[in-house]
Amino acid sequence: MTIQTDIIKKRYDRIAPYFDRIEGMMEKMMFGDLRTHIWDKLTGEKILEVGVGTGKNFSYYPANKNISAIDFSPVMIQEAKKKRQSLSLNIELLEMDVQALDFPDNHFDTVIGTFLFCSVPDPKQGLRELKRVCKPGGEVLLLEHVLSSNPLIAPIMHLLNPLTVRLVGANINRKTVKTVQACGFSSVEVLAASSHLVKLIRAVK
């Protein structure tokens, strides 16, 4: 684990018990429909969710799928385990870094992540790992907030970014679509529900 990864992990450990409350209003106003949209795109039987956090996606999980979910924050995993128990979900929860996945090559039909790559210290390495563990022809589905294409908003995001990284470990000014495109997928598509701030991305291995 790199020093930067350890720093970000500790920041998420710190906020994990309060994370759902911190993002509660924004979740209700902006993200619920987008989560539904990305999870509706899921295909295959063997699924990996990366950056599970506190388990915000649990209510969107499809039935009768073999789902594993990981996060690099042990405290986030603890919170997710509580939610798993309350919802009686039969899923595997593992503490694991997306930059170094402990899964074999070509293992999952679909890999899915929501609002993850804002906080991965080396996003290109993390994306290469998702591609590695995905089966040939399988999909990586991502829901990510990115640097706005609005020329009035983008400079403000650049200005605020050091503060958000220090407080919660999240970058708000990343160009994640371009990063995905640079990782050797056979195709990368930005889905129609995307906005200038939030992108739904489908990448095929």
Side-chain angles (χ1 to χ4, degrees):
M1 181 180 294
T2 66
I3 293 173
Q4 186 63 22
T5 298
D6 191 53
I7 290 170
I8 300 300
K9 183 179 80 166
K10 287 177 180 177
R11 287 174 185 163
Y12 276 93
D13 283 345
R14 184 183 69 231
I15 65 173
Y18 321 104
F19 195 66
D20 287 353
R21 277 173 283 174
I22 291 170
E23 293 198 338
M25 184 61 68
M26 189 161 44
E27 186 74 31
K28 289 179 181 178
M29 292 175 62
M30 295 178 62
F31 298 148
D33 290 344
L34 293 174
R35 290 184 191 275
T36 299
H37 195 88
I38 199 75
W39 280 92
D40 281 349
K41 304 296 182 186
L42 201 72
T43 59
E45 299 300 318
K46 198 170 183 64
I47 312 300
L48 172 65
E49 183 186 2
V50 289
V52 65
T54 61
K56 286 187 176 183
N57 287 316
F58 284 174
S59 60
Y60 303 95
Y61 277 17
N64 303 316
K65 302 288 186 183
N66 182 354
I67 301 179
S68 300
I70 65 130
D71 202 281
F72 73 162
S73 164
V75 187
M76 285 285 191
I77 289 291
Q78 289 173 14
E79 295 298 315
K81 286 180 177 177
K82 295 175 188 176
K83 200 171 291 183
R84 177 181 65 180
Q85 182 175 2
S86 69
L87 296 172
S88 301
L89 291 176
N90 181 25
I91 58 170
E92 181 181 42
L93 284 172
L94 299 167
E95 182 185 338
M96 195 181 299
D97 184 355
V98 70
Q99 300 166 116
L101 293 173
D102 190 21
F103 296 113
D105 296 354
N106 308 318
H107 191 62
F108 294 99
D109 297 302
T110 301
V111 181
I112 187 167
T114 59
F115 304 110
L116 166 65
F117 280 94
C118 58
S119 58
V120 177
D122 187 345
K124 191 171 286 187
Q125 172 60 23
L127 286 160
R128 290 193 190 105
E129 278 291 274
L130 302 196
K131 179 172 174 280
R132 179 185 67 79
V133 303
C134 197
K135 294 178 181 178
E139 296 181 338
V140 172
L141 300 172
L142 300 173
L143 173 60
E144 296 288 338
H145 59 73
V146 298
L147 178 67
S148 174
S149 57
N150 185 315
L152 298 177
I153 296 175
I156 299 171
M157 296 178 74
H158 282 307
L159 185 66
L160 292 175
N161 194 67
L163 178 62
T164 64
V165 172
R166 182 170 292 275
L167 288 176
V168 297
N171 294 271
I172 59 173
N173 65 346
R174 285 190 167 167
K175 300 178 180 180
T176 302
V177 174
K178 289 185 177 180
T179 307
V180 177
Q181 290 170 338
C183 288
F185 290 94
S186 64
S187 68
V188 177
E189 176 187 6
V190 178
L191 303 180
S194 300
S195 70
H196 69 103
L197 277 174
V198 180
K199 302 297 184 185
L200 293 88
I201 306 164
R202 178 196 281 127
V204 179
K205 181 172 177 176

